[in-house]
Amino acid sequence: MSIRVLVADDQTIVRAGFVAILTAETDMTVVGEAAEGDAAVAMAAGLAPDLVLMDIRMPGMDGLTATRLITRHSSRTRVLVLTTFDLDAYVYEALRAGASGYLLKDAEPEALLAAMRGVAAGDGALAPAVTGRLIAAFAQGAPVSPETTGALSSLTRREREILTLVATGLSNAEIGERLGLALGTVKVHVSAVLNKLGLRDRVQATIFAYESGLIRPSGMSTA
């Protein structure tokens, strides 16, 4: 099935470039274009796209606020933030607003398309440099949230183990190999973790694992 995409960017030329790239793909369909954050929110509500390609800095409502409103309104529509601003504050805010990924605009088209397909499939996508700094920030002492710590009690020991491995960046196949589990079994566990914690995808699960104190930046679980 085709991935239905809404492109939100205030620069006409940049937006046209994204549309041209996506239109050339047989498994993607551009269902709308927005030049402002409030327009993106309205179009997402009306069109129910699978994925929103979201710029951060736009006139009026910014992309971060738009992301928060879109993800709050729909658990089905996912947001991939694409920006020229390689700044930590934007990374944290975008992910906490519900974005399923964060890439820089200098990414190669192939990387962008792969990220979009991954996000649409329920995975997450982060620029490699962003991932490194995100974890480094936790290493410097990110506060542990009592709310997330309490939510961990809903997970079984195996589910906590699965969450830990997801947060270290392992794929389902790698987790299965590490734990001696069938791929289908791993998928069931991952889905259970996401459902119990009310998380959208693996990126949100990774943030949860660090913010709850389940995993340290060294990769060692505290469980």
Side-chain angles (χ1 to χ4, degrees):
M1 295 180 62
S2 181
I3 301 171
R4 303 173 69 254
V5 184
L6 169 63
V7 179
D9 195 297
D10 65 323
Q11 297 182 28
T12 303
I13 293 179
V14 173
R15 196 168 64 248
F18 289 147
V19 170
I21 292 173
L22 302 181
T23 301
E25 301 299 308
T26 58
D27 62 339
M28 294 189 183
T29 301
V30 176
V31 296
E33 301 179 42
E36 299 180 353
D38 53 357
V41 173
M43 294 181 73
L47 298 172
D50 301 309
L51 177 66
V52 179
L53 194 59
M54 181 74 74
D55 187 22
I56 285 184
R57 290 195 176 182
M58 293 184 287
M61 182 188 296
D62 62 40
L64 298 177
T65 302
T67 294
R68 185 175 294 106
L69 293 175
I70 290 171
T71 56
R72 182 182 301 167
H73 178 269
S74 172
S75 61
R76 178 177 176 275
T77 299
R78 300 182 184 278
V79 177
L80 176 61
V81 172
L82 191 66
T83 180
T84 57
F85 298 96
D86 186 8
L87 301 176
D88 292 335
Y90 288 132
V91 178
Y92 307 143
E93 187 65 23
L95 297 179
R96 291 189 174 106
S100 296
Y102 188 109
L103 290 179
L104 303 182
K105 286 185 177 178
D106 61 1
E108 295 295 329
E110 293 77 10
L112 170 62
L113 293 170
M116 293 178 67
R117 292 184 176 105
V119 168
D123 294 327
L126 291 175
V130 170
T131 304
R133 288 204 318 280
L134 181 64
I135 293 177
F138 283 107
Q140 295 170 6
V144 174
S145 165
E147 181 179 348
T148 55
T149 301
L152 283 175
S153 62
S154 67
L155 302 183
T156 65
R157 184 173 183 82
R158 174 64 84 186
E159 288 168 349
R160 287 163 67 101
E161 189 175 23
I162 293 288
L163 175 57
T164 299
L165 296 177
V166 166
T168 60
L170 296 186
S171 66
N172 287 347
E174 291 169 332
I175 292 173
E177 183 176 353
R178 176 78 63 88
L179 301 180
L181 298 175
L183 180 59
T185 301
V186 174
K187 290 181 178 180
V188 169
H189 282 308
V190 171
S191 294
V193 168
L194 296 180
N195 289 333
K196 285 185 177 182
L197 299 179
L199 303 173
R200 301 171 66 84
D201 48 51
R202 299 171 83 94
V203 167
Q204 300 301 309
T206 298
I207 293 174
F208 179 94
Y210 280 102
E211 290 189 333
S212 67
L214 175 65
I215 187 172
R216 307 278 184 201
S218 64
M220 297 301 293
S221 170
T222 61

